[in-house]
Amino acid sequence: MKSSSLLAARLLRTSALGLSIAIAATAVPALAQDTAPQDGAVDDNANGEIVVTAQGRSQLLSDVPVAISAVSAETLQNSGANDIRQLNQVAPSLLVSSTGSEANGSARIRGIGTVGDNPGLESSVPVFIDGVYRSRSGIGLNELGEIDRVEVQRGPQGTLGGRNSSAGLISIYSKKPSFEFGATAEATYGNYDYWRLGGSVTGPITDTIAARIDGIWVKRDGFLRDTTNNTDVNNRDRYFVRGQLLFEPTDALSIRLIADYTSRKEECCGATYIDNSVNPYIGNLNNPSTPLSTGAGGTPPNVPQANGNNIINVLRDLGQPLAAFGQGYGRNISVSPGRSFAGETTDYGFSGQIDWDLGAATLTSITGYREYRSGQAGDLDYGTVDILYRAPSDDAYRQFHTFTQELRLQGEAFDGKLDWLVGGFYANEKLTVRDNLRFGTQYGRFAACRLISGGALAGLYSPTSPGCVAARPAAFGAASPAIYAALDQLDGISDKGSIDDRYRQNDTNWALFTHNIVHITDKLDLTLGVRYTHDKKKFAADFTNDNQACVNVQNLVGGFLTNPALAAVSGGLVGLACQGNSTAELDGVSINDQRSEDEWTGTAILSYKPVDDLMVYASFARGYKAGGFNLDRSALKNPIQVALVDGVPTPTTSFAAVGGAQALVSNLQFDPELVNSYELGAKYSTGPFGLGVTLFRSDFKNFQLNTFNGSVFLVQTVNGCSSDLAGGDRDQSKFPTAPNYNAGAAATGACDAGDVSWGVRTEGFELEASLAPAPDFRMTAGLTYANTKYRSNLVGNKSGAPLDQALRLLPGNNLSNAPELVATGSITWTPEIGSSGLTGLVYIDGRMTSDYNTGSDLFPQKEQDGYALFNARVGVRGRDEKWGIEVWAQNIFNKQYSQVAFNSPFQEGGVSGAFADPQYPGGRQIFSQFLAEPRTYGVTLRGKF
């Protein structure tokens, strides 16, 4: 009773989760959705229960000893789901989000997923569409057309085919062609001038060939407004078409061919500054809401404010309206004049599936070829001051060419005592990334003012003067001429940076697998699966850059870096001139590398059915996600390199001094992610009622984490240490902050390689159920408790190297975007209206989430309070649903929340006194956020022929 009371207390901690209990009580804790098998046939003896193919065979959901959620086409339609992001409403263990690019959406299961905008990292939760692996889960954010069902499998996967995964997978099955003629049409109009037109036609061509065509067109205004350039951002402008042929010459042979094409031309993705509780106008730690003082006539003075955030002062003086820092969830965004978020994405390919019954066994072959290309411009400082941008051109995109081939042979042996399956998988993925990330026209003045205003030089601050200094006293003695010349070089940086950086990665992956179910008795089964995977990646990159100021500044002040009196300002000059990916030292430089790995993974499941309606099981699974390369050249070089000179850490200014780019290429590599996962589960089903309970624990080694630290993207594999690191991994001075770099802190928190173990654990329970007390009434709900945490003592890789300084808040804390508690629920009522054949539709679903942190570095400014989201749909439908009209709304109560908060790029100031750690409100790091969608509503007309 005590543990139940504690759980109830935690659930009721927020009003959102309090409401979730009401829904769960009404609907019976649940998740598994009603669905039909792919061919539409339902076993009458099974009382119409759910049929899935999660184990490579058609099975009743209640008979599958794995944690899986199956979502039907009807549920997807009622919830308004057009892509995988909207599965959140009906799958409590799943969270799909998108941030800086729709091309890079991230899916998480039980709090585990791959985060960040780096295509070099594969997905912990991959997406398969009609059995074909998609290179990254964000590709599933496209329109999907008419869907038969979606299966969300939780935990490591790989012994049944396809690409292996460490956290789970999402399998989407589109509707097949039919040998009976049919057609559908849909027209939707909603707020934000939302239009969605869709339709399908299917039918026979001959007695053995059937065809199907699906098409969708979508257009919508953006829910963010760029008032500077008078345009909408985060809009929709896309279309999708899919054609299929089904050839069934005999009962033993089926051949299905699919081709599809998606086009998107949209502005994405804008961000806002978090409100002034996080980005205060005055950085007063005792009263962060203190208003900005003003000069004569109410005009803010052109000098830094006492105890103020120098970055906000500088942004203000260069043209950023102060109101933006108190904006919060406002939908007007700050964009530099002339900058754009324009993007263009194409995704197309074909697949062929052959199912051939050979008598003693069945052969399945799935062949796929995909091409995906996404280019995305952006005003990447997300403010009015022109600091950083990516131009809208063909020189900035990511492109995948992927060929996959899967073969499976399965059958029975020993008079049905063994269901066996063996197979192989091959994938070749060619990834190309081109980039032109550049400083804006105001970067140089911004960087100079940021340095001058952040410390002892504040008295020289003059944002309208060259170098941001009005007078030039001999403040640095004999070094003064060089320091001021370096400031002028820094101030002169305008529209400089990478011109045409190119990354190329060729990944060859092949695997052999087997998955076998031994029927020990009529009630007891043992499942054993094994997979061997070989993965080899070849990597090459070419760099171009026109930021010569980086080299010039290093030459001017390099000799002063070891002078204690001048190190801070000299280091700041070098760091700001060479910040991020912008250094001419890599202009014309090429690098290459390769890596390969071999892994054994597998699963063992013991399941028992004491009675026909109840199954219990215990399982173990070993999972794996391949290692790779960080496709961000910042990993090659910090703004200031630190080399050991006579055993003493000494700053150096020459890139060549540390061996050049090729000598550092190993810094781009990261290790494979490995997981050991355990489950105990029970499933009870009586037809109209189903209930499932799962207890789980998964331990991850080499957890792949991608973090943006305000300047560059860091990719780190996170592990734990069984020894006490005495806080060395949590040293609050242990982070690289311009203009200072604490070389000594970087060496703390190391672990002996023999003591390195798992670094991330997710454990908890899931409740799933459904109840259909009448043919026209169904209730579902679900509850997931996932305690997804980093270990208390963390290191940065399997060798026990110290954790990166930017990640000092990770040890012992929950992972980002990993709420401990999530509850979902839905009610569907389709009553008959008189005797006319008309039926009504009343549908509502909800998702309630507890508090969580949205930033992968876990800075407290990135916390998101718990919230609740509700969708609803009400309509009238004709006889046999030949027509229908529905009124709908998503996010009914217009809940405002952040998908991800992040360090505003390059908007961090000097380190001194009370502002030494930007994790505190009033610290000198500014923070921004990607907002979730607001309330949308509209009307839909449907027709079926």
Side-chain angles (χ1 to χ4, degrees):
M1 274 307 284
K2 184 177 180 180
S3 61
S4 299
S5 299
L6 288 173
L7 174 61
R10 296 190 80 173
L11 281 168
L12 292 168
R13 189 169 54 187
T14 67
S15 59
L17 286 171
L19 189 53
S20 78
I21 297 302
I23 285 188
T26 302
V28 183
L31 171 61
Q33 309 293 325
D34 58 308
T35 188
Q38 177 74 5
D39 58 9
V42 178
D43 185 349
D44 292 335
N45 294 326
N47 298 315
E49 286 190 76
I50 307 163
V51 177
V52 296
T53 57
Q55 294 197 114
R57 311 153 173 87
S58 293
Q59 295 176 283
L60 298 177
L61 179 62
S62 57
D63 289 340
V64 180
V66 297
I68 176 176
S69 304
V71 185
S72 70
E74 180 184 7
T75 298
L76 291 169
Q77 177 177 295
N78 288 339
S79 67
N82 301 320
D83 59 43
I84 63 171
R85 178 171 36 213
Q86 290 157 306
L87 292 174
N88 294 341
Q89 287 296 106
V90 291
S93 294
L94 176 69
L95 176 63
V96 181
S97 60
S98 61
T99 54
S101 168
E102 287 279 84
N104 228 44
S106 176
R108 297 170 178 81
I109 289 179
R110 295 171 175 168
I112 299 293
T114 302
V115 302
D117 190 22
N118 194 317
L121 279 77
E122 298 172 10
S123 302
S124 296
V125 183
V127 171
F128 293 79
I129 300 180
D130 292 319
V132 177
Y133 168 72
R134 299 301 178 95
S135 291
R136 299 295 182 267
S137 58
I139 295 173
L141 294 177
N142 286 336
E143 292 288 329
L144 299 174
E146 285 206 64
I147 299 302
D148 182 81
R149 72 185 187 281
V150 177
E151 297 178 7
V152 180
Q153 298 184 50
R154 309 189 289 278
Q157 309 294 326
T159 62
L160 285 159
R163 192 71 178 251
N164 45 274
S165 67
S166 58
L169 61 84
I170 300 172
S171 293
I172 300 168
Y173 298 91
S174 64
K175 287 192 175 180
K176 281 184 175 182
S178 172
F179 283 94
E180 294 183 5
F181 176 79
T184 65
E186 171 193 320
T188 295
Y189 181 75
N191 62 333
Y192 295 98
D193 200 22
Y194 172 59
W195 283 98
R196 186 175 191 271
L197 305 178
S200 69
V201 178
T202 186
I205 296 177
T206 69
D207 290 342
T208 58
I209 300 176
R212 181 183 182 94
I213 296 177
D214 293 87
I216 293 173
W217 174 81
V218 177
K219 195 171 183 66
R220 189 202 71 189
D221 293 342
F223 59 80
L224 299 176
R225 183 65 180 174
D226 171 7
T227 55
T228 303
N229 299 294
N230 195 31
T231 186
D232 290 329
V233 179
N234 287 32
N235 64 325
R236 292 283 182 270
D237 187 357
R238 56 182 64 172
Y239 67 86
F240 164 84
V241 62
R242 178 174 58 223
Q244 301 184 63
L245 287 175
L246 179 63
F247 178 44
E248 295 183 342
T250 69
D251 292 340
L253 179 63
S254 175
I255 301 173
R256 185 185 182 190
L257 304 177
I258 306 174
D260 65 89
Y261 184 91
T262 295
S263 173
R264 303 192 330 205
K265 295 182 179 180
E266 302 168 348
E267 302 250 351
C268 186
C269 299
T272 68
Y273 288 110
I274 301 178
D275 65 40
N276 63 358
S277 65
V278 169
N279 297 323
Y281 298 160
I282 292 293
N284 185 329
L285 297 181
N286 297 319
N287 186 10
S289 62
T290 301
L292 183 72
S293 60
T294 59
T299 303
N302 202 29
V303 296
Q305 299 301 300
N307 296 323
N309 186 319
N310 69 304
I311 296 301
I312 291 181
N313 288 327
V314 171
L315 291 171
R316 173 205 65 195
D317 295 339
L318 296 181
Q320 176 65 57
L322 282 172
F325 298 110
Q327 177 176 0
Y329 297 119
R331 300 284 171 173
N332 289 331
I333 59 175
S334 299
V335 180
S336 303
R339 300 303 179 207
S340 168
F341 289 95
E344 185 170 352
T345 298
T346 57
D347 177 26
Y348 59 92
F350 65 85
S351 65
Q353 177 169 339
I354 301 172
D355 295 291
W356 190 7
D357 186 349
L358 303 174
T362 299
L363 175 69
T364 298
S365 169
I366 303 176
T367 305
Y369 178 77
R370 306 292 313 175
E371 291 199 12
Y372 179 87
R373 175 177 170 136
S374 180
Q376 185 72 61
D379 181 26
L380 300 184
D381 54 73
Y382 302 102
T384 301
V385 182
D386 193 17
I387 300 173
L388 184 69
Y389 75 98
R390 180 174 285 116
S393 73
D394 288 338
D395 294 332
Y397 63 82
R398 60 191 62 182
Q399 181 170 281
F400 292 92
H401 297 261
T402 308
F403 171 80
T404 57
Q405 174 63 56
E406 180 176 345
L407 286 172
R408 298 195 305 264
L409 188 67
Q410 63 189 97
E412 295 183 351
F414 307 114
D415 296 325
K417 293 292 185 182
L418 172 66
D419 288 336
W420 57 269
L421 181 152
V422 295
F425 175 78
Y426 172 83
N428 180 255
E429 176 187 276
K430 295 178 180 178
L431 169 59
T432 301
V433 177
R434 295 181 67 179
D435 207 359
N436 61 2
L437 189 65
R438 298 181 68 76
F439 289 141
T441 57
Q442 293 178 276
Y443 174 77
R445 181 61 55 90
F446 167 79
C449 290
R450 166 179 152 177
L451 178 62
I452 293 298
S453 67
L457 301 178
L460 303 178
Y461 176 78
S462 177
T464 59
S465 301
C468 203
V469 289
R472 303 195 173 196
F476 311 103
S480 292
I483 297 292
Y484 289 127
L487 271 169
D488 289 340
Q489 285 286 331
L490 178 61
D491 186 29
I493 297 177
S494 175
D495 199 23
K496 301 293 183 181
S498 60
I499 303 168
D500 186 13
D501 288 354
R502 303 192 186 199
Y503 303 86
R504 296 175 297 280
Q505 178 177 283
N506 191 326
D507 179 18
T508 300
N509 180 290
W510 61 266
L512 301 174
F513 53 86
T514 180
H515 191 91
N516 309 281
I517 304 175
V518 181
H519 303 291
I520 300 173
T521 70
D522 291 342
K523 297 180 179 293
L524 183 65
D525 289 348
L526 175 64
T527 302
L528 297 172
V530 177
R531 180 187 182 103
Y532 170 77
T533 302
H534 174 80
D535 188 271
K536 183 175 182 179
K537 291 183 173 71
K538 295 181 179 180
F539 166 82
D542 305 307
F543 303 116
T544 56
N545 199 283
D546 59 3
N547 178 28
Q548 187 62 35
C550 171
V551 177
N552 294 342
V553 169
Q554 291 188 67
N555 291 337
L556 285 165
V557 302
F560 307 127
L561 284 171
T562 56
N563 183 329
L566 300 175
V569 66
S570 299
L573 284 163
V574 174
L576 293 173
C578 305
Q579 186 154 310
N581 288 343
S582 192
T583 168
E585 287 185 307
L586 288 179
D587 184 45
V589 171
S590 298
I591 58 174
N592 62 82
D593 201 3
Q594 66 179 25
R595 59 173 289 122
S596 63
E597 52 203 41
D598 301 273
E599 291 291 343
W600 287 92
T601 55
T603 188
I605 308 170
L606 188 65
S607 60
Y608 178 63
K609 297 194 72 170
V611 294
D612 289 343
D613 296 333
L614 175 65
M615 179 187 66
V616 294
Y617 68 91
S619 70
F620 167 79
R622 168 80 165 175
Y624 155 74
K625 183 178 73 164
F629 294 91
N630 178 4
L631 302 188
D632 188 304
R633 72 179 187 176
S634 59
L636 295 174
K637 175 180 179 292
N638 288 313
I640 305 172
Q641 290 291 331
V642 179
L644 288 177
V645 179
D646 297 326
V648 178
T650 304
T652 68
T653 59
S654 171
F655 190 43
V658 292
Q662 185 61 41
L664 297 173
V665 71
S666 61
N667 291 348
L668 297 176
Q669 290 201 31
F670 53 87
D671 294 321
E673 187 172 284
L674 303 171
V675 56
N676 291 330
S677 184
Y678 309 85
E679 287 187 9
L680 291 174
K683 295 184 178 184
Y684 177 76
S685 178
T686 60
F689 174 71
L691 176 65
V693 181
T694 307
L695 305 176
F696 62 87
R697 170 182 282 185
S698 298
D699 293 335
F700 289 79
K701 293 183 65 176
N702 299 328
F703 178 73
Q704 297 170 4
L705 182 67
N706 187 25
T707 299
F708 180 68
N709 69 358
S711 296
V712 296
F713 283 97
L714 307 170
V715 175
Q716 183 121 43
T717 52
V718 179
N719 288 286
C721 183
S722 58
S723 301
D724 187 357
L725 299 178
D729 55 346
R730 301 186 296 275
D731 182 358
Q732 291 198 1
S733 67
K734 185 186 174 193
F735 61 100
T737 306
N740 299 324
Y741 183 78
N742 185 346
T748 65
C751 178
D752 186 85
D755 292 335
V756 175
S757 183
W758 60 269
V760 169
R761 169 174 288 173
T762 179
E763 60 185 350
F765 65 85
E766 298 157 324
L767 299 177
E768 324 175 300
S770 61
L771 176 65
D776 61 359
F777 192 79
R778 173 173 290 273
M779 300 179 293
T780 72
L783 178 66
T784 295
Y785 170 74
N787 186 16
T788 308
K789 282 194 172 184
Y790 292 102
R791 198 167 182 166
S792 293
N793 294 284
L794 296 181
V795 290
N797 59 32
K798 62 183 180 182
S799 300
L803 189 70
D804 191 278
Q805 297 164 316
L807 306 178
R808 65 191 179 280
L809 297 181
L810 268 57
N813 284 324
N814 286 8
L815 272 68
S816 64
N817 284 284
E820 289 190 2
L821 285 162
V822 177
T824 62
S826 70
I827 297 174
T828 307
W829 183 35
T830 55
E832 294 184 359
I833 300 176
S835 58
S836 62
L838 298 180
T839 57
L841 169 65
V842 178
Y843 173 86
I844 185 170
D845 65 40
R847 177 186 176 97
M848 286 63 65
T849 300
S850 65
D851 303 348
Y852 59 95
N853 194 300
T854 68
S856 51
D857 55 12
L858 301 183
F859 273 21
Q861 294 94 333
K862 303 174 184 180
E863 288 282 348
Q864 171 61 57
D865 292 336
Y867 58 89
L869 298 176
F870 294 92
N871 300 332
R873 189 172 295 260
V874 178
V876 177
R877 302 177 297 185
R879 186 183 299 274
D880 299 324
E881 298 185 28
K882 294 295 186 182
W883 60 268
I885 180 170
E886 302 164 359
V887 177
W888 54 268
Q890 293 181 301
N891 190 5
I892 297 173
F893 302 110
N894 199 30
K895 178 61 183 177
Q896 306 288 344
Y897 65 100
S898 170
Q899 292 194 83
V900 168
F902 58 95
N903 297 17
S904 305
F906 298 174
Q907 294 166 58
E908 175 192 355
V911 176
S912 64
F915 309 113
D917 195 331
Q919 70 173 291
Y920 296 106
R924 297 189 175 186
Q925 172 67 61
I926 307 302
F927 296 91
S928 301
Q929 60 187 345
F930 294 110
L931 299 180
E933 294 194 1
R935 175 172 52 219
T936 56
Y937 51 86
V939 60
T940 297
L941 303 177
R942 302 186 191 278
K944 185 168 65 174
F945 312 97

